[in-house]
Amino acid sequence: MQNLIFTNDVDSALNRLTAGSRHNMTVFIADVNTARFALGKERLIVIPDGDTGKSLATVCRVWDSLEQFGATRHSLVINMGGGMVTDLGGFAAATFKRGMRFINVPTTLLAAVDAAVGGKTGFNYNGLKNEIGAFAPASDVIISTRYFDTLPVQEMKSGFAEVIKHAMLSDRGEFMRLLEHDFDAPIDHDDLLERLRSSVQVKRDIVARDPNEQGERKALNLGHTIGHAFEALAMQRGKPVPHGYAVAWGLVTEAVLSHLILKFPSNDVHLLGNFVRDNYRDFPFTCDDYDQLLTLMRHDKKSHDGEISCTLLASIGDYHINQTLTPGDVTAALDILRDHLGL
Ligand code: GLY
């Protein structure tokens, strides 16, 4: 089980984790934006930021640097950054000399609630996202909101969609609390850290029961079957949208589908739809895109034999994996989503 530490005093947490440690050296991995958080560290590997740098070439550069430092299986890697750093740095550490311990210190909300926790590591290959990778959990994840003050609001919104997803899988009270969130207000660090504690716990519990995604872990894909199709289509058009925006639209669409198929309460569809309309509004798709979106959904990693499959809810907290959708279900839900967003 991963050790999760929720604190805004990251340095003390790191000192406690490494004090008296049996490791012969510590190597930090960060990207060009987060290297400043690791300044002054004796051994630091700086990798490019962004999805294009999430490549085999970057993994090789990390391995080369680890070799040059003389790292061994008894060394420790500390990944400081967003999901790209924790995914790629985690993979490099998990495979170098057959694997060394690594700690994740996520610096974005998205990484703190999703990528850094649960052991998925990897990189993009042949134009496919996260095509090569391994399940390899960080021994410890230090979750802090101290990095978020300088995050663009778009980044905060992007991560927040995953926080809402976790609440939809677990707890209506938490779901209602989250829908009160005001992205224009300054961050209340104590409150946000509490929200993260509840949120990440949902993911940790599901992953503990199904670490390799044989069944229940698919629940964490709520909002993603349709969300990934939005994200991929936007990417194909050269106008990428933030991951969490696509997830937010995917969550509403899948909430509509949940209502149509499993009688998920319409009131909760509306509450979610209103929040998404108010905060994630610029939805750049029309009914002319439905065929392409359906094609993308059929090719999603989560679909089999050309059938579209996703997780749906009968109510908040009552999730059902492996739900098969017809094209008619999906287009009906997309119509309702566009109506709700006023498009
Ligand atoms: N991002 C979903 C999972 O880690 O399973």
Side-chain angles (χ1 to χ4, degrees):
M1 176 85 82
Q2 278 185 310
N3 178 33
L4 303 182
I5 299 167
F6 295 85
T7 179
N8 277 327
D9 186 355
V10 176
D11 294 336
S12 302
L14 272 178
N15 286 339
R16 272 198 308 280
L17 284 177
T18 52
S21 112
R22 56 196 160 75
H23 301 290
N24 61 358
M25 79 170 64
T26 301
V27 180
F28 284 77
I29 302 179
D31 70 22
V32 289
N33 301 309
T34 58
R36 65 199 152 104
F37 300 128
L39 275 187
K41 304 295 181 193
E42 203 183 328
R43 298 178 192 86
L44 169 64
I45 301 172
V46 181
I47 60 177
D49 66 344
D51 222 43
T52 47
K54 196 177 181 184
S55 62
L56 179 59
T58 307
V59 176
C60 291
R61 273 183 43 203
V62 173
W63 285 329
D64 288 345
S65 302
L66 289 170
E67 290 260 6
Q68 279 155 19
F69 287 136
T72 71
R73 193 183 286 172
H74 305 291
S75 307
L76 171 70
V77 160
I78 299 180
N79 294 313
M80 295 198 85
M84 138 78 171
V85 172
T86 60
D87 278 12
L88 187 143
F91 181 83
T95 46
F96 185 77
K97 310 246 185 215
R98 296 209 178 88
M100 54 206 287
R101 179 181 169 200
F102 65 98
I103 295 174
N104 285 340
V105 185
T107 59
T108 65
L109 179 55
L110 190 57
V113 288
D114 195 12
V117 180
K120 286 187 180 173
T121 66
F123 58 91
N124 304 335
Y125 192 67
N126 276 347
L128 298 169
K129 275 175 87 83
N130 302 324
E131 180 69 354
I132 309 291
F135 287 104
S139 59
D140 314 84
V141 185
I142 302 177
I143 293 174
S144 164
T145 61
R146 66 173 264 197
Y147 304 106
F148 302 166
D149 283 320
T150 51
L151 278 186
V153 69
Q154 215 186 36
E155 273 280 333
M156 287 300 288
K157 288 184 181 182
S158 191
F160 206 79
E162 299 284 355
V163 181
I164 293 176
K165 176 193 82 178
H166 288 154
M168 290 176 74
L169 293 172
S170 62
D171 179 354
R172 190 162 188 280
E174 186 67 9
F175 172 71
M176 297 298 288
R177 247 191 308 280
L178 294 175
L179 298 188
E180 303 281 300
H181 190 79
D182 176 3
F183 289 103
D184 294 328
I187 292 175
D188 175 340
H189 287 272
D190 290 341
D191 180 64
L192 187 56
L193 203 58
E194 275 317 299
R195 304 277 69 75
L196 293 190
R197 199 189 288 276
S198 318
S199 187
V200 176
Q201 187 68 40
V202 174
K203 176 161 185 179
R204 181 169 66 172
D205 289 350
I206 291 176
V207 171
R209 291 192 290 269
D210 178 22
N212 295 343
E213 202 166 307
Q214 298 303 302
E216 188 184 353
R217 186 168 180 165
K218 293 181 195 169
L220 294 171
N221 293 325
L222 183 72
H224 285 66
T225 298
I226 295 182
H228 277 155
F230 290 137
E231 195 177 8
L233 185 58
M235 182 74 82
Q236 284 175 0
R237 296 202 171 140
K239 289 192 179 149
V241 294
H243 173 72
Y245 280 55
V247 170
W249 302 325
L251 284 173
V252 187
T253 321
E254 293 183 19
V256 172
L257 284 160
S258 296
H259 174 68
L260 298 175
I261 296 169
L262 296 179
K263 306 276 176 275
F264 181 75
S266 59
N267 187 40
D268 287 346
V269 179
H270 280 281
L271 291 172
L272 176 68
N274 291 347
F275 185 79
V276 170
R277 182 193 57 214
D278 295 345
N279 291 289
Y280 301 85
R281 197 187 141 77
D282 300 317
F283 180 79
F285 306 102
T286 70
C287 51
D288 294 338
D289 300 311
Y290 288 3
D291 281 346
Q292 182 62 9
L293 286 168
L294 284 166
T295 303
L296 286 163
M297 284 172 214
R298 287 193 192 96
H299 289 110
D300 191 88
K301 278 199 198 97
K302 297 175 286 305
S303 298
H304 298 286
D305 302 328
E307 288 208 318
I308 303 168
S309 168
C310 73
T311 296
L312 296 178
L313 301 171
S315 61
I316 290 202
D318 183 6
Y319 48 82
H320 296 253
I321 61 170
N322 297 332
Q323 299 295 300
T324 303
L325 305 176
T326 66
D329 295 332
V330 176
T331 53
L334 288 169
D335 278 342
I336 294 171
L337 171 73
R338 286 180 42 245
D339 247 18
H340 199 94
L341 296 177
L343 300 166

